[in-house]
Amino acid sequence: TPAGPMILPAMVDVLTETWRAAEITFESANTYPDPLNGAELNVLFTSPSGKQVVVPGFWDGGRTWRVRFAPTEYGVWKYVSSCNDISDGGLHGKRGTVGANRYQGSLEIYRRGFLKTAPGVRYFMYADGTPFFYLGDTHWSMPKEPFDEMFKLIVDKRITQGFTVYQSQPLSAKYNFADGFSEADLPGLRDLDRRFKYIADAGLVHANAQLFFPAEITKPCYTDEHLRKLCRLWVARFGAY
């Protein structure tokens, strides 16, 4: 597909490149003491060709909510938000645009698109159908690794070694969802934000285990509904990476 004319920042509300995460910030009109259960934000994105995708949003402290979205085609996307609390004019019915220029770099994951599978095909492939060679190893305590002294060095080393996947487990993650979800959990999630982004910007696919090590799920506080909402939070926060 031709690249088309360059989209400039003044032409849209948010600007990114194809397959690269863009972030949109919303400010809720209402305050939610229990944001995991008090409100549910979704944003419907419509591509220039008419394709639609719904992306969940997440609470990020105070009255701040965010949506992270990676456009899959060039052009200007339109979006409209919806909230289960329709009285909240800061989250419900907000409209805007996201501009996606063609990715100009050399990383395969952004040149060819995110991974997918196909019926009857027994290997991963990029969005354009090119086969993907999966080579990765697992970093079990990724959240615990000092960011500059260890984490970044490992990611950079794996790039030089030709790895394509960074596998991780959230052992020692700096949050506690056993007592719900609150401001106290945000520093740990924000620490993961920069790690997920660094991995993505390096061009590695991140095969991550969600939330916590499996033994944590045996605690009775993790009901099916609580786990569903935590998984939604995880996908909303990190899925675009």
Side-chain angles (χ1 to χ4, degrees):
T1 304
M6 183 68 70
I7 302 169
L8 302 176
M11 301 168 61
V12 292
D13 298 312
V14 179
L15 184 63
T16 185
E17 294 179 310
T18 48
W19 306 104
R20 303 299 299 269
E23 185 172 282
I24 304 167
T25 301
F26 300 85
E27 183 176 354
S28 65
N30 302 329
T31 300
Y32 300 96
D34 181 8
L36 194 66
N37 298 293
E40 192 166 285
L41 171 67
N42 290 293
V43 178
L44 172 66
F45 292 89
T46 303
S47 77
S49 68
K51 296 178 181 178
Q52 293 187 320
V53 59
V54 177
V55 178
F58 61 93
W59 174 73
D60 201 28
R63 293 189 176 185
T64 300
W65 294 71
R66 306 188 195 279
V67 168
R68 291 178 180 152
F69 166 67
T72 58
E73 65 180 68
Y74 161 83
V76 176
W77 293 65
K78 297 179 180 179
Y79 70 81
V80 58
S81 68
S82 63
C83 179
N84 61 340
D85 178 4
I86 62 174
S87 71
D88 195 321
L91 300 182
H92 188 74
K94 305 296 286 187
R95 297 178 180 271
T97 53
V98 175
N101 284 313
R102 285 288 179 189
Y103 172 68
Q104 298 298 309
S106 59
L107 299 175
E108 290 291 278
I109 196 67
Y110 301 121
R111 290 181 59 240
R112 302 188 179 280
F114 294 159
L115 301 191
K116 67 177 184 178
T117 58
V121 178
R122 300 182 65 180
Y123 54 81
F124 290 108
M125 66 185 74
Y126 294 100
D128 69 358
T130 302
F132 172 79
F133 180 68
Y134 191 117
L135 177 62
D137 60 352
T138 302
H139 303 260
W140 292 89
S141 297
M142 182 265 283
K144 187 178 180 180
E145 298 167 359
F147 189 83
D148 291 305
E149 297 82 2
M150 185 176 179
F151 167 76
K152 288 173 62 176
L153 296 180
I154 292 174
V155 174
D156 296 345
K157 182 65 173 180
R158 292 297 181 263
I159 294 294
T160 66
Q161 294 171 324
F163 280 61
T164 58
V165 178
Y166 182 103
Q167 300 173 172
S168 73
Q169 285 280 348
L171 290 173
S172 303
K174 304 175 185 71
Y175 48 72
N176 176 23
F177 294 132
D179 58 355
F181 175 46
S182 69
E183 294 268 4
D185 300 308
L186 294 178
L189 289 171
R190 288 169 182 160
D191 179 65
L192 289 186
D193 282 342
R194 63 175 183 160
R195 295 172 190 266
F196 275 62
K197 186 176 187 304
Y198 192 86
I199 292 166
D201 288 344
L204 291 172
V205 172
H206 189 182
N208 68 98
Q210 288 187 201
L211 299 167
F212 31 63
F213 199 66
E216 177 79 2
I217 302 177
T218 62
K219 296 180 179 179
C221 61
Y222 292 113
T223 64
D224 287 351
E225 182 63 11
H226 188 37
L227 285 172
R228 184 192 72 80
K229 291 184 177 181
L230 288 175
C231 287
R232 173 188 164 87
L233 166 65
W234 193 270
V235 171
R237 187 150 199 140
F238 304 121
Y241 294 135

